[in-house]
Amino acid sequence: MTYQGLIHRYGQYLDLPAHIKTISLLEGNTPLIPMPRLSRELGCELFIKFEGLNPTGSFKDRGMTAAISEAVGRGAQTVICASTGNTAASAAAYAARAGLRSIVLIPEGKVAVGKLAGAIAYGAEVIQIQGSFDDALSLVVEITQKTPIALVNSINPFRIEGQKTAAFEICDDLGSAPDWLCLPVGNAGNITSYWAGFKQYQKGLPQVLGVQAAGAAPLVLGHPVEKPETVATAIRIGKPARGEQALDAAQESKGRIIAVPDEQILSAQRILAEEGVWVEPASAAGLSGLLAESTVGKFEAGGKRIVVVCTGHGMKDPSIITESFKSPKVIPANYEALIGVIEE
Ligand code: F0G
């Protein structure tokens, strides 16, 4: 039988109510890509879980199939979320598929162009907030408490249920859990989901390395960050909704949450692209954390099986690349000119 999406494949492991009406874009089933060059350099067996290959280009589709299926099943007509971009695009796509109205709140001027375009293309009503993601999240929580509009941020427990499936897939592909799982941490829904998923699936437990951007690292600093700033706009979050659970996951797994400066995140983005995997900046945070820890001798990679989660596709945020890139040369359309520049 052809693949029918996550609720079909893993529904028996997900705590979803009977009233769900499955809405799927055949999300999930993403590849676990071996990285031979990096594995050699680090002396480990490294894989990328490439979540950028989901239908709207990020891991958010895993939780969204569950959240929208639940919302439409109970008769919701409008859904809302706050977002740094990926949740917005995902909510908009699944709402469109379900025939629901979608409203997305984003921080003004701080959302990558591919995400904004996605939300608009899928028909969301996009509202920019003169404030941060954290301000937007407070607003959508308030409005969903006072109106019948359904909240589809990862505060919604069904988002977590859907996102657990990434842990299941990794265990199914490898035969057991890896030794380490490295991933970016923003609002902390994903790290919470992975940890719940590994615990439930009983194929072993990884140690978890959660990575925040240095300018938006409330879980490392131990307090909220009023004005988070990072080039990795997806994780530009100062007050993570599931911060406590993220800290628990790190601690229970004998892992940790660390902060990495923007330059190292961008460097990890380049390293991944050099092995053919182009991800958005936030998605490179997991690898940047692993590299940072290895460099200072805090990470014994020797012989270990490590999965680095790359949460979103590079095409989501093309301007970060083109802005630092010399414009391509322009030549006359003839052979001499072409051979001239190639042999330059
Ligand atoms: N990576 C990407 C590409 C993201 O878009 C996000 C979160 C994260 C990592 C962090 O995941 O929040 O579960 O810890 N993006 C949210 C959004 C906030 O609105 O799209 P998290």
Side-chain angles (χ1 to χ4, degrees):
M1 206 188 332
T2 56
Y3 182 68
Q4 293 181 54
L6 288 174
I7 292 179
H8 182 260
R9 179 159 178 202
Y10 290 115
Q12 57 179 311
Y13 299 99
L14 307 180
D15 189 8
L16 300 176
H19 66 245
I20 64 160
K21 177 173 177 295
T22 299
I23 303 293
S24 175
L25 288 163
L26 309 193
E27 59 293 315
N29 202 19
T30 56
L32 195 60
I33 307 177
M35 303 297 277
R37 245 183 281 163
L38 270 169
S39 296
R40 261 195 313 279
E41 276 164 32
L42 291 167
C44 64
E45 205 184 341
L46 185 78
F47 299 88
I48 298 297
K49 180 70 172 160
F50 194 15
E51 291 289 278
L53 296 182
N54 274 295
T56 77
S58 87
F59 73 98
K60 303 289 180 180
D61 297 340
R62 292 181 184 276
M64 211 51 78
T65 184
I68 297 288
S69 296
E70 189 280 328
V72 75
R74 92 173 115 90
Q77 291 179 346
T78 305
V79 296
I80 196 166
C81 65
S83 183
T84 56
N86 281 322
T87 302
S90 186
Y94 283 80
R97 188 85 178 172
L100 303 180
R101 178 178 175 201
S102 64
I103 304 169
V104 304
L105 268 62
I106 58 173
E108 183 187 15
K110 296 290 183 182
V111 169
V113 64
K115 303 175 189 181
L116 185 56
I120 296 167
Y122 298 124
E125 291 159 49
V126 179
I127 301 170
Q128 298 201 73
I129 296 297
Q130 293 171 325
S132 65
F133 167 85
D134 306 288
D135 298 325
L137 188 59
S138 308
L139 279 168
V140 297
V141 167
E142 186 180 351
I143 206 159
T144 52
Q145 283 164 350
K146 294 180 176 164
T147 70
I149 300 174
L151 180 73
V152 293
N153 278 104
S154 61
I155 297 172
N156 177 327
F158 305 115
R159 283 277 311 278
I160 302 299
E161 288 303 307
Q163 285 175 210
K164 289 191 310 196
T165 58
F168 304 161
E169 287 179 8
I170 292 172
C171 291
D172 285 344
D173 284 352
L174 294 178
S176 64
D179 297 306
W180 277 90
L181 182 85
C182 310
L183 80 172
V185 178
N187 210 27
N190 210 27
I191 188 170
T192 300
S193 309
Y194 269 98
W195 187 238
F198 283 116
K199 284 200 290 192
Q200 182 183 346
Y201 217 51
Q202 301 195 351
K203 296 262 177 73
L205 295 172
Q207 290 180 264
V208 178
L209 181 69
V211 186
Q212 302 209 285
L219 300 179
V220 179
L221 296 170
H223 58 77
V225 174
E226 252 348 285
K227 291 198 162 52
E229 247 348 306
T230 168
V231 67
T233 51
I235 51 172
R236 186 176 165 275
I237 293 174
K239 225 178 347 164
R242 291 189 182 267
E244 285 303 318
Q245 284 163 282
L247 293 167
D248 288 348
Q251 198 194 4
E252 279 179 42
S253 77
K254 303 193 174 53
R256 49 198 175 269
I257 297 182
I258 63 166
V260 171
D262 279 1
E263 313 80 71
Q264 289 180 31
I265 292 176
L266 293 177
S267 158
Q269 184 191 33
R270 279 192 296 276
I271 290 167
L272 286 163
E274 283 164 10
E275 258 192 274
V277 180
W278 180 30
V279 307
E280 64 166 289
S283 298
L287 179 66
S288 73
L290 174 64
L291 296 174
E293 294 275 279
S294 310
T295 310
V296 297
K298 281 204 201 149
F299 197 93
E300 220 5 275
K304 300 235 167 71
R305 224 161 38 161
I306 301 175
V307 171
V308 170
V309 183
C310 286
T311 44
H313 203 286
M315 285 190 268
K316 290 279 193 171
D317 194 354
S319 40
I320 195 81
I321 305 295
T322 50
E323 276 162 18
S324 63
F325 184 79
K326 294 180 279 157
S327 295
K329 287 179 184 147
V330 181
I331 60 164
N334 63 58
Y335 181 81
E336 289 69 30
L338 177 60
I339 196 75
V341 289
I342 288 175
E343 290 182 342
E344 224 166 56

